[in-house]
Each structure stands twice: as structure tokens, then as C-alpha cells.
Amino acid sequence: MIKRTSGAILVTLFAGNVAHAQDEGAIQVGKFDIKPGLTTDVLHIDNVTYASEEADEIDSWVSVVSPKIDAYTEFNGHIIEMGYRLERGDYYSTDADDYTDHFAHLKGDFEINDRNRFKGVATYEAGHDERGRRYSNGFGNELTSVDTYKNSEVGAIYSYGALTAFGRIDLSVGYEDMDYDGDTELYLIRDRSTTKYGAEFVYRIVDGTNLLLDADRNEIRYDYDANPANPLDSIENRLLAGFSWDVNAVTQSYAKLGYKEKSFDAASRDDFSGLAWEVGMSWLPYSYSEFKVSTKQDTRETNTTGADYIRGTDYAISWEHSWVQRFSTTATMALMNDDYVGDVEDLREDDTKKLTLAADYEFRRWLTFGLYYSMNDRESNRSDIEFDRNVYGLTAKVTL
């Protein structure tokens, strides 16, 4: 299913702003503000299973209904947030793609004193991969249902140093578990867990310019190995250094460059060591218009495609503009290059382009209508996994 915004992942929740949700109406229950909402979509997809030109493409109208409920409370400067969302998708031309997903999260933001802060978050998703995505690239038509999974994640960040101090440090720890439904080898080989550690040091050189040092470690463990002598278990270490600039009130940017290594437990697999980066900038020429650009290079897991890892490079640009008080548009373009690395034949090289255009009209404070279009195109050295996909949608969001 096309998603105009990403789900409730760890970084999104840590960076989220409760104040935005406060604009919605609330029901007071004890010390909690309860905020229900409902989003409905009607859309048309011209290539449901991401099929190539060599296969039959399925087109379908789709209806998506997504009710949610969030609860917030604040005490002594601390904020607690929890929420649940259900998403049901029904395809008019193919029952095999119907799905029901569940999302839940719990977040705490604790201000101990001006030098000590703590944030914690837990998320749970009973979700799905569409036919033709991830492991079923190129043969989505052969599946009789979507590929369902359970994903759970917990994380915490401890911050030391006043926000006005010259230096501060963030220490983080997290754990993520991915568990695909099904007990055959096809499912078991994709189940994995990741233990995460991180530290970031920020030092203010002059007003508006900060030195950044960022280190993290991921320990990736697969629950099942099709070949016990050649497991995909690995340890990743990354160190980045760079700067952030707040040139003025309308321009903020950051650039971090460094070194990444990925070491496999199996000696027969190709370890990686090389360059990694994160660069981004936001520019607000007006209070009602914002441009963002970003790029990132890192490694990704392969979902058992036969390779050892994926060397990924991403580029993105977006423009959000409020034309009048109630009408806004968003345009996003993303380019992704994935090189599959390993000692196997016919390794993939994919180039994917994604374009999303959306327009929203706030008919009432509690009712918003939207139109959107999404284009997804992948070119590859393997013709069976190339595809073109277009999605047209109408959405309505209701709150209190």
C-alpha cells in the first residue's frame, strides 16, 4: 500500500512534536487527553504486485480505512504519549492483497533537570509486505496472500548537558526484532534481531555552528540459517564526524562523513569497510514554504537475496508550501541506488525513483481532504524485477 508518510519508527517518535497533535480536539479522561482520529483513502494502483513487463500487471481500486486513538499526559514537565492505529486495506480486483495491520507505540519524554534528560520509546507493528516487495521481488503474482510479520522495537536516549551549554552528549540503546509469520524455511531465514548502541557528542564552536561526533554499533543476529556454516550474522560499527550550521532563522544544515565496517561471523562472506555519510539541509524562504534536501550512504540487509549485504546510496528532495491558510501542497522526489555485494552470480544493481505529489485542503479544523499521486520506477540489471507503478488517491482525515 502507498503510504504518504512513514510509520511510527524509532527515530520518528523521538523527533516527533506533541504540540502538533495538540491542535486536534481532545476528550479529557482523568489526567489524559484522548485524541481519536480516522483516515480513509480511495485509490487506484496500476501495478499491484510490482510486476515487470515480462509478467501480467494487476490494476485495482483500493479502499483503506485507518482509525487511531492517541493519549497524552504531562506531569512535572514530563510527557507520556501512547497510541494505537489499525489499517485495513481492501482491493476490489484481488482478494489476495487484502490486509489488516496494527500499530502501537508508547513514548516518554522526561526532563530530569536542565542538564539531564531521558527519552524512551516502544513500538509494535503487526504489518505486511505487499506481494512483489522485499523477498518476493519479481514473483509477486505467485503468492496467494501478502507476507505478514511482527516487528517490535524498544529504545532509550539519555542526554547530558544543558541545551545552552557548549557541549552535550546523547547515549542511546535499542533492540529490534523482526519475525515473519510462518514456520517454513522461506520465512525463518528472514527472522532477525538487532541490538543497537550509539553515542553522539555535540560541541558548539560559535553561535549557530556545532561540531558533531557520532558513533554507533549494531549487532545483527538471524534466528535461522539455511546454511549453518555460512550465517548472515554480523556486527556493524560506524563513526561519523561533521558539522551542523544554523546560518540564520531560515536555513539549517548538517554534514557528517565517516567510516563504516560490517564484519560477518562467517569467514566466507565479504566484510565491508568504507565510506559513509549523512548530509542534509532545510531552507524556509518564507514561513509558509520549506525545501529539504538530503543524501545518505550506508549498508542494508539483503532479505536473503543471496548477497551478503546491500551498498545503498539515497538522495531526496522535498518542497512543502501553504498557498493559503487552508490549502497546502507537498512534492517529494527520492533516488535510491542499491548494489548487492557477495560471492554469488547475477548480483543485482537497482536504481529506484520515487515521486510523490500531494495537495491537502482543510475544509474544517477537524476535516481535511487530500489528493495525491505516487510514481515508483525501478531499473535493474535483472529485467524480471524492473517495474513501473503509479498510484492515484483521494484521502479524508477526521479528528475531534
Side-chain angles (χ1 to χ4, degrees):
M1 175 54 52
I2 170 75
K3 290 183 173 63
R4 293 176 59 187
T5 57
S6 59
I9 59 175
L10 182 64
V11 174
T12 303
L13 286 172
F14 276 145
N17 190 339
V18 175
H20 177 72
Q22 296 292 336
D23 294 336
E24 303 172 1
I27 301 172
Q28 191 76 28
V29 179
K31 295 183 178 181
F32 282 88
D33 287 337
I34 308 298
K35 300 183 179 181
L38 175 66
T39 301
T40 59
D41 294 82
V42 176
L43 49 115
H44 181 268
I45 303 176
D46 67 2
N47 185 1
V48 172
T49 60
Y50 299 83
S52 69
E53 294 183 356
E54 303 171 358
D56 294 331
E57 294 185 0
I58 301 171
D59 68 274
S60 180
W61 286 93
V62 187
S63 65
V64 181
V65 179
S66 182
K68 70 167 187 175
I69 184 167
D70 294 315
Y72 307 84
T73 188
E74 182 174 352
F75 60 95
N76 298 328
H78 310 313
I79 299 174
I80 301 293
E81 172 190 336
M82 62 187 72
Y84 167 78
R85 181 171 68 88
L86 179 145
E87 183 173 300
R88 172 65 186 180
D90 289 290
Y91 288 69
Y92 299 168
S93 301
T94 163
D95 294 341
D97 296 282
D98 295 348
Y99 68 92
T100 303
D101 292 346
H102 303 268
F103 307 86
H105 72 270
L106 173 64
K107 174 187 174 183
D109 191 343
F110 305 94
E111 191 82 19
I112 302 171
N113 53 47
D114 62 345
R115 292 187 178 182
N116 295 273
R117 296 169 300 281
F118 177 81
K119 296 181 180 181
V121 63
T123 65
Y124 175 80
E125 176 184 355
H128 77 286
D129 293 334
E130 300 162 288
R131 293 195 298 162
R133 299 302 282 166
R134 297 196 182 183
Y135 96 99
S136 62
N137 286 171
F139 61 93
N141 289 350
E142 300 177 18
L143 303 186
T144 58
S145 66
V146 296
D147 194 14
T148 58
Y149 60 81
K150 307 292 190 299
N151 179 266
S152 54
E153 187 170 1
V154 294
I157 296 179
Y158 167 71
S159 301
Y160 177 77
L163 297 177
T164 57
F166 279 95
R168 62 182 187 271
I169 187 169
D170 293 340
L171 301 176
S172 62
V173 62
Y175 179 82
E176 180 181 6
D177 183 74
M178 172 66 80
D179 182 11
Y180 279 87
D181 299 335
D183 55 5
T184 64
E185 182 174 274
L186 183 64
Y187 295 93
L188 296 174
I189 57 178
R190 292 177 286 146
D191 294 346
R192 62 179 181 265
S193 62
T194 305
T195 304
K196 307 173 183 182
Y197 308 93
E200 182 179 43
F201 176 69
V202 181
Y203 184 80
R204 188 172 78 247
I205 301 174
V206 296
D207 286 345
T209 301
N210 299 313
L211 170 68
L212 306 176
L213 296 176
D214 191 357
D216 56 63
R217 176 185 177 91
N218 292 335
E219 298 177 356
I220 304 169
R221 294 291 177 260
Y222 283 78
D223 296 347
Y224 177 87
D225 297 311
N227 181 3
N230 195 31
L232 274 169
D233 296 350
S234 66
I235 295 177
E236 300 178 341
N237 293 299
R238 188 180 67 158
L239 180 63
L240 301 177
F243 300 91
S244 66
W245 302 272
D246 295 336
V247 178
N248 48 44
V250 300
T251 304
Q252 295 83 38
S253 57
Y254 65 90
K256 295 188 288 185
L257 180 68
Y259 176 80
K260 170 74 176 284
E261 65 175 17
K262 183 180 181 71
S263 301
F264 289 94
D265 291 355
S268 58
R269 293 196 178 272
D270 289 342
D271 293 340
F272 168 79
S273 60
L275 193 65
W277 71 66
E278 293 180 4
V279 179
M281 182 186 72
S282 65
W283 176 49
L284 289 84
Y286 306 100
S287 61
Y288 50 84
S289 188
E290 181 176 16
F291 292 88
K292 292 182 179 180
V293 296
S294 63
T295 178
K296 178 180 180 180
Q297 187 173 81
D298 209 334
T299 61
R300 314 189 226 270
E301 293 301 292
T302 65
N303 261 324
T304 66
T305 57
D308 295 335
Y309 62 90
I310 303 169
R311 183 67 165 149
T313 307
D314 301 337
Y315 306 90
I317 182 170
S318 67
W319 175 40
E320 183 174 356
H321 187 88
S322 296
W323 299 90
V324 293
Q325 183 177 4
R326 294 186 176 185
F327 180 71
S328 63
T329 59
T330 303
T332 302
M333 170 67 81
L335 304 175
M336 288 151 285
N337 174 260
D338 290 328
D339 290 333
Y340 289 69
V341 180
D343 188 21
V344 296
E345 296 181 359
D346 194 25
L347 286 177
R348 286 169 50 180
E349 295 181 7
D350 299 345
D351 290 304
T352 304
K353 298 186 291 290
K354 293 184 179 181
L355 171 67
T356 301
L357 304 174
D360 292 303
Y361 177 71
E362 190 179 88
F363 186 73
R364 293 288 187 271
R365 182 198 58 77
W366 49 269
L367 176 61
T368 300
F369 292 108
L371 292 170
Y372 59 92
Y373 163 75
S374 174
M375 179 275 292
N376 196 344
D377 173 82
R378 178 164 67 199
E379 298 178 355
S380 176
N381 62 340
R382 287 178 46 186
S383 60
D384 62 316
I385 60 174
E386 294 184 325
F387 66 82
D388 292 300
R389 193 176 196 252
N390 297 281
V391 179
Y392 304 85
L394 171 66
T395 185
K397 179 182 178 182
V398 181
T399 62
L400 287 181

